[in-house]
Amino acid sequence: MKTFQKIGFKLAFLTLFCIAGCREKDVNTLGDLLGDKNSVNEWVYATMQDGYFWYKEMPAKSKLDARAEPDAYFENLIFNRKTHDRFSMITPDFEATQQQFNGVTKAFGIHYMLGFIDSGKSNIAAFLSHVSNGSPAQRAGLKRGDIIIKVNGTQLTDANYADLLGAESIRVTMGKVNGEVIESVGQEVTLTRGQITESPIAFSKIITKQNRKIGYLVYNQFVPGTDADKVKYDNELRNIFADFNKAGIQELVLDLRLNGGGYLSSAVTLGSLIVSNYSASKVFYKEQWNDKYIKYWQEKNGPDALTYKFAKEPSNIGNRLNRIFVLTSNGTASASELIINGLKPHMSVITIGDNTAGKNLFGSLIGDEKKRWKYGLYVMLGQTVNANGDSDYGTVEGIKPTHAVDDSNVPFLPFGDENETLLHAALTQMGITTRNPARMAGRLQVQRTVRQTLRDTPAAWNGLMIRDTGEALPLAND
């Protein structure tokens, strides 16, 4: 019996394997690494046939071309790519993807919104929505609110931005808002990609306003820790909530607008720090796998094997809250959406911003246990539902915001600024007046070229909900 590669931080890095002798059916998996296409595709099919949520919808193996490139072969197995499974993927480098899933990557460290800056809608700018802590971009002095209009002297357009921003080293020209136009400030900054290990906690603050104390947290990825300290970031979360508790906050604003998901284990940690009136019996979410794995898990661990409850967290602030405000965007996905959906049966969840991405699916990154190649599969294993059995957001429409707010006013104000667009909207919903005409002036609303905020790297692949079981899962026999 074969087994799933263990996922999460218990994964052992794959060793390299190269088949001697090049044949017509060999496939170049990465650089000079070669593997037999038929063997790779056989492994892909067996893995998907075993664990894939929609394995019953897969075409018969006899109808597929075993000589196809693995990425094309894999794509033929996906169930309704546009409407159902928008997230499963194949990667030629399992180890590199694992590192990206864990928030470790080589990057400039910029998150940005693309928007048109001319009436003809030919020129665009990159409006920085976040600069990763400790990144090359931060060391070069870039920050949230900065505007990039050119790269290597070339004006950004919808056609060239990906190539220009995808280079190893770039020289960017900075811009500013001047009335109704975006113009150059005559400043250039050179950026070179570097290794980043980014904490998912981008910013936190306690806001005191009109005799109210509001906790504000910008959380950008669900990652529990590092290789050296596997709960480092979860413990940082606990420390922030301990500070919120000590300060006696009365409201909480959770900023997930840049959060594309991550590990379910960290979602449990965050949800458990927030939930109102915690008890050991309160259900956070349930998992729905394919029929083979529902049977397997229930036989192994009992009828409640796929029911996950909130954990006891000493710094839980739920006794102070009966509601939470969550800031969202079209890039708010998977584990972020699980927080929203999982808390709804237990407290009022008020969302502000844009529709979320619409991912109620979870998956695992799976490598070849025999270590014959570096290919890996991120496979959708199932979907989550909340304590009420609800999971109605798994479409391109996502979770519709309670209060729709357009977050395209530039330059972006710093996180925690009371006049920043989405935080201002949340404070307004609380009945707190923050408007400062001087701070609100001098901003321009731009038209986005795409709805999502982008990154200079897939440090965390958008739309991740990664299940870390901590144990091997059985696969079907050959």
Side-chain angles (χ1 to χ4, degrees):
M1 177 174 286
K2 298 187 294 180
T3 60
F4 264 117
Q5 185 78 20
K6 289 185 181 180
I7 61 177
F9 294 96
K10 298 177 176 63
L11 280 161
F13 287 151
L14 297 181
T15 57
L16 305 181
F17 182 89
C18 183
I19 298 178
C22 298
R23 299 179 298 279
E24 184 275 331
K25 62 181 179 178
D26 284 345
V27 54
N28 189 329
T29 60
L30 190 70
D32 60 353
L33 297 178
L34 296 174
D36 182 89
K37 288 183 190 176
N38 291 14
S39 298
V40 172
N41 291 338
E42 179 78 20
W43 169 75
V44 168
Y45 194 92
T47 302
M48 296 289 284
Q49 179 67 25
D50 180 72
Y52 191 42
F53 190 44
W54 295 282
Y55 80 96
K56 291 182 179 179
E57 307 298 330
M58 286 168 47
K61 186 161 53 174
S62 60
K63 295 183 178 180
L64 300 171
D65 181 5
R67 299 168 299 174
E69 294 295 330
D71 55 348
Y73 186 91
F74 174 80
E75 196 61 30
N76 286 327
L77 306 180
I78 299 302
F79 178 62
N80 289 349
R81 173 61 87 183
K82 291 184 178 180
T83 58
H84 288 70
D85 186 1
R86 294 172 283 141
F87 304 100
S88 291
M89 69 178 187
I90 186 169
T91 171
D93 191 341
F94 172 85
E95 182 177 330
T97 302
Q98 180 65 60
Q99 287 291 84
Q100 290 171 346
F101 279 17
N102 292 346
V104 180
T105 190
K106 192 176 182 183
F108 303 129
I110 56 174
H111 302 231
Y112 54 93
M113 178 192 78
L114 295 174
F116 293 110
I117 60 173
D118 64 343
S119 58
K121 296 183 180 179
S122 57
N123 297 333
I124 68 174
F127 300 90
L128 301 192
S129 54
H130 177 56
V131 175
S132 300
N133 294 331
S135 67
Q138 187 188 55
R139 291 194 295 271
L142 297 187
K143 62 187 182 303
R144 175 177 163 86
D146 283 343
I147 303 170
I148 296 173
I149 58 174
K150 296 181 181 180
V151 174
N152 299 332
T154 300
Q155 172 64 52
L156 289 174
T157 69
D158 210 19
N160 69 18
Y161 80 88
D163 288 337
L164 290 174
L165 291 172
E168 188 73 12
S169 183
I170 58 177
R171 186 182 75 259
V172 300
T173 301
M174 309 306 295
K176 67 176 181 179
V177 175
N178 184 5
E180 297 297 315
V181 299
I182 307 292
E183 63 183 22
S184 172
V185 298
Q187 176 190 5
E188 293 187 334
V189 177
T190 298
L191 301 175
T192 300
R193 292 181 184 273
Q195 192 78 8
I196 301 173
T197 303
E198 183 182 7
S199 169
I201 300 165
F203 183 84
S204 66
K205 182 181 182 179
I206 297 171
I207 300 170
T208 302
K209 195 78 173 176
Q210 297 173 209
N211 297 320
R212 305 281 290 282
K213 289 186 177 181
I214 303 107
Y216 174 63
L217 171 65
V218 183
Y219 189 67
N220 286 350
Q221 186 183 346
F222 289 82
V223 176
T226 65
D227 286 339
D229 184 349
K230 294 180 171 48
V231 291
K232 174 181 173 64
Y233 302 140
D234 278 359
N235 284 338
E236 288 180 5
L237 265 182
R238 293 180 175 108
N239 291 338
I240 287 170
F241 277 81
D243 291 340
F244 287 167
N245 233 335
K246 184 177 179 180
I249 68 163
Q250 298 148 300
E251 303 277 10
L252 176 65
V253 179
L254 179 62
D255 193 335
L256 299 179
R257 78 184 91 176
L258 300 178
N259 195 315
Y263 288 89
L264 287 167
S265 59
S266 288
V268 173
T269 300
L270 180 58
S272 300
L273 287 164
I274 296 171
V275 65
S276 290
N277 302 314
Y278 164 82
S279 74
S281 63
K282 278 196 172 182
V283 173
F284 182 23
Y285 70 94
K286 300 178 182 180
E287 293 178 351
Q288 297 175 338
W289 295 59
N290 69 36
D291 56 346
K292 292 181 290 186
Y293 273 101
I294 289 177
K295 179 180 179 182
Y296 170 79
W297 286 121
Q298 290 182 343
E299 287 180 350
K300 180 178 174 62
N301 296 327
D304 293 330
L306 299 176
T307 297
Y308 294 85
K309 298 176 181 179
F310 293 99
K312 184 175 179 59
E313 290 286 349
S315 297
N316 170 277
I317 60 173
N319 63 326
R320 302 180 180 278
L321 306 175
N322 58 19
R323 64 181 181 179
I324 177 178
F325 294 84
V326 183
L327 309 185
T328 64
S329 74
N330 193 241
T332 302
S334 60
S336 291
E337 293 168 298
L338 175 63
I339 289 289
I340 296 168
N341 194 50
L343 289 175
K344 277 185 176 180
H346 310 291
M347 60 197 304
S348 175
V349 180
I350 302 164
T351 53
I352 295 174
D354 201 353
N355 290 44
T356 63
K359 188 192 177 192
N360 57 1
L361 302 168
F362 61 88
S364 288
L365 180 62
I366 303 166
D368 175 36
E369 64 174 0
K370 297 179 181 178
K371 303 176 183 178
R372 293 166 290 182
W373 41 73
K374 295 186 74 175
Y375 276 106
L377 303 177
Y378 177 50
V379 180
M380 294 301 98
L381 301 175
Q383 67 180 14
T384 62
V385 300
N386 65 19
N388 294 336
D390 296 331
S391 185
D392 59 356
Y393 59 92
T395 71
V396 292
E397 295 301 317
I399 299 172
K400 184 179 179 180
T402 311
H403 303 283
V405 178
D406 187 353
D407 188 19
S408 58
N409 288 324
V410 297
F412 293 122
L413 296 180
F415 289 132
D417 188 307
E418 296 168 19
N419 293 291
E420 187 278 317
T421 302
L422 296 193
L423 177 58
H424 174 79
L427 296 175
T428 299
Q429 290 300 318
M430 296 175 195
I432 295 175
T433 303
T434 64
R435 185 171 295 277
N436 181 335
R439 291 289 291 151
M440 300 296 285
R443 302 181 73 198
L444 177 68
Q445 187 173 62
V446 297
Q447 181 181 344
R448 296 171 180 255
T449 65
V450 293
R451 286 182 66 187
Q452 288 182 314
T453 295
L454 305 176
R455 307 173 183 216
D456 69 309
T457 174
W461 294 85
N462 285 337
L464 289 187
M465 189 148 58
I466 308 168
R467 191 186 198 275
D468 184 358
T469 64
E471 58 182 299
L473 304 175
L475 282 172
N477 291 322
D478 290 331

